[in-house]
Amino acid sequence: MSSYILGWEAFSVTVDTAAILKQLTYDVNSPVHFATGWFMWFFAACMVGYALLHKTRHLKLFYVTAFSLYFYYKSSGAYVGLLLAVTVFDYTFAWLVHDARARWAKRILLVFPLAANLGLLAAFKYPQMLADTWTFFSQGQSYKLDIFLPAGLSFFTFASMSYLIDVYRGELKPTNKITDYAFFVSFFPMLVAGPIVRASHFLPQLTRPLVISRVMLGTGITLILSGLFTKLVLADYLA
């Protein structure tokens, strides 16, 4: 364990670097979720920074996106790279779909990323189900596959597919900045637990003036506290 002591005549502080690094890095045995003490501090820090940057559109979007990606890293480790790959892949194909002239070309360019996203879901979610089904019908030996299921995989892939479909239908023009799209796909309040929000409903809000009233703030705090009470007191107690 590495530690440093910063001392003066009447004051000293011990910095435990190992403990700090443990809090900052992904722990496979203790992934982060919403109902943890770590997330409460994380959310508070995020809100403080957002309050300072909320008037600067680009900085606040970059700031929240960075927090979202870090939160996902604490939830699923290196699989944050999968989230980034889906973001870049679908953002690129959305522009290809939008720029294609012929209807048949748009359809082909849409089918390819949709198939890739659904294939990604199938690769992570269904091998164990198929193995269990085979065991049930064959009455053979049970197989437990060592496949890690990244948190929120269904939510961010379906959200990304909704963006592609909205662009294909002409209901949404592709965003000019991939940072805006990354903000939408990785937005941490709905990244690992949903709900799945249509891109045509979410993305236009990024360019609107931010208006927060006392009623909205009070409602938001009430919903957060009631949700925590339901999860930590009622649900965990019943479980």
Side-chain angles (χ1 to χ4, degrees), residues 194-216:
I196 299 172
V197 179
R198 291 278 300 274
S200 57
H201 296 161
F202 187 98
L203 284 171
Q205 298 181 49
L206 300 185
T207 58
R208 297 173 189 166
L210 180 64
V211 178
I212 301 177
S213 66
R214 291 184 177 181
V215 174
M216 294 169 62

Side-chain angles (χ1 to χ4, degrees), residues 64-182:
V64 175
T65 302
F67 257 81
S68 297
L69 293 174
Y70 178 64
F71 172 67
Y72 193 74
Y73 163 72
K74 288 286 289 183
S75 301
S76 299
Y79 285 96
V80 67
L82 188 65
L83 172 60
L84 291 171
V86 169
T87 300
V88 174
F89 184 80
D90 289 351
Y91 175 82
T92 302
F93 267 90
W95 271 109
L96 293 175
V97 170
H98 177 266
D99 293 339
R101 299 290 184 181
R103 192 70 173 177
W104 61 268
K106 287 181 177 289
R107 289 177 179 174
I108 292 176
L109 290 169
L110 175 67
V111 168
F112 185 73
L114 292 184
N117 279 277
L118 292 174
L120 185 67
L121 282 173
F124 280 95
K125 298 193 71 171
Y126 299 120
Q128 185 62 59
M129 183 189 72
L130 294 175
D132 292 341
T133 303
W134 171 257
T135 300
F136 176 78
F137 285 105
S138 66
Q139 299 298 313
Q141 181 180 357
S142 176
Y143 295 95
K144 292 299 180 183
L145 304 179
D146 187 17
I147 300 177
F148 179 81
L149 181 62
L153 179 64
S154 299
F155 294 108
F156 71 75
T157 51
F158 279 114
S160 193
M161 285 192 290
S162 80
Y163 174 76
L164 289 163
I165 294 171
D166 284 343
V167 170
Y168 170 78
R169 291 175 174 173
E171 298 177 5
L172 181 70
K173 180 183 176 182
T175 177
N176 292 320
K177 298 181 181 296
I178 193 172
T179 50
D180 290 359
Y181 181 62

Side-chain angles (χ1 to χ4, degrees), residues 182-201:
F183 180 95
F184 160 66
V185 176
S186 65
F187 190 48
F188 73 86
M190 59 185 187
L191 177 60
V192 299
I196 299 172
V197 179
R198 291 278 300 274
S200 57
H201 296 161

